[in-house]
Amino acid sequence: MIVEFITENAIFIGLALGSGLALLWPFLRQGGGAAGIPSLTSTEAVMLMNQSKTFVLDVREESEFAEGHIQGAKNIPLKQLEARMKELEKYKKKPVLVHCQHGNRSGAACKVLAAQEFAQLCQLTGGLNKWVEAKMPLVKG
């Protein structure tokens, strides 16, 4: 009886599963971030920065940082993050926005910081590329 129902309604079952997956996809892709770290759009990041004293951590290489960065950001390249953890100790209980160029390195950085018990981590969705695309300001030098 169940097999008969499935075969007769395969198209509808497929549509229901497909639409359910389409609704869940943004949450599965973005919401979990790295190790369950929330991912914020550029607009959400600006709102967080305006509402609280958010520490902005740029994990790109120094040369990338010099080409342009978010105002007030501290540059610690991902390769140096673990060795320079003492510099970040004072931000463990504060909001920390981590970003890189595309979003890949910041995910790895968030995992390192989460393991060090940083309490309020978030990641910039799409990295600095999405920030620039949203026409947000950069500081050069």
Side-chain angles (χ1 to χ4, degrees), residues 22-136:
L23 288 171
L24 290 174
W25 182 252
F27 296 105
L28 295 172
R29 204 178 123 240
Q30 176 183 348
I37 308 295
S39 293
L40 302 180
T41 65
S42 298
T43 305
E44 292 168 333
V46 169
M47 287 174 31
L48 176 68
M49 291 162 62
N50 288 337
Q51 292 171 356
S52 62
K53 292 189 178 189
T54 304
F55 174 68
V56 180
L57 178 61
D58 187 326
V59 296
R60 298 176 301 148
E61 295 299 317
E62 292 171 6
S63 60
E64 294 173 292
F65 185 80
E67 291 175 12
H69 56 273
I70 296 172
Q71 183 173 359
K74 178 165 183 73
N75 180 232
I76 300 180
L78 179 60
K79 294 177 198 170
Q80 300 173 14
L81 187 59
E82 289 187 55
R84 295 176 61 183
M85 196 58 66
K86 284 194 177 217
E87 295 175 45
L88 304 175
E89 286 291 318
K90 61 185 172 188
Y91 302 108
K92 274 191 166 186
K93 304 273 188 246
K94 297 180 180 178
V96 178
L97 174 66
V98 183
H99 78 89
C100 61
Q101 194 67 39
H102 303 283
N104 299 329
R105 289 175 282 183
S106 61
C110 283
K111 289 178 184 176
V112 170
L113 295 168
Q116 295 293 321
E117 300 177 356
F118 278 75
Q120 299 181 53
L121 287 173
C122 51
Q123 178 179 340
L124 183 61
T125 302
L128 201 64
N129 284 351
K130 289 291 183 183
W131 180 270
V132 170
E133 195 175 288
K135 305 217 184 315
M136 298 296 182

